[in-house]
Amino acid sequence: MTAPRATKPRTPKIREKLPAPQTAEGLLFHYTPHEAAQWTPFSGRTLADMIARREINYVFNGRDNYLTGAQIIALVERYTVKPFAKKPARTAVAA
């Protein structure tokens, strides 16, 4: 006979019908790292770890860490790789 599990796996609570960070309401809305993950290239756990290491801007309310919509947009822009501009081809100069 085995002993019962002491704890059950903790799954983060994600609220429904969240405003998108790009909207006027979403710019100031506070998202948990796991809620913000759907708009970033990172997982919720990675965002939480980045906050703990102070690598990204965040909001601390005395108990929990949050990201505003404006911070999510800035984070996505920070890690977006933009294509190089094409330069005109060089022409050979006759000597």
Side-chain angles (χ1 to χ4, degrees), residues 35-86:
E35 292 170 345
Q38 62 182 326
W39 289 289
T40 66
F42 304 106
S43 68
R45 176 57 191 247
T46 302
L47 287 174
D49 290 343
M50 291 170 80
I51 288 171
R53 291 189 303 260
R54 311 280 196 268
E55 292 178 2
I56 58 175
N57 294 331
Y58 65 98
V59 176
F60 180 67
N61 72 351
R63 184 181 134 197
D64 297 317
N65 298 320
Y66 294 100
L67 295 165
T68 63
Q71 290 169 333
I72 294 170
I73 292 170
L75 178 68
V76 169
E77 288 176 359
R78 178 179 168 190
Y79 286 97
T80 300
V81 178
K82 298 181 180 165
F84 291 113
K86 290 187 178 182

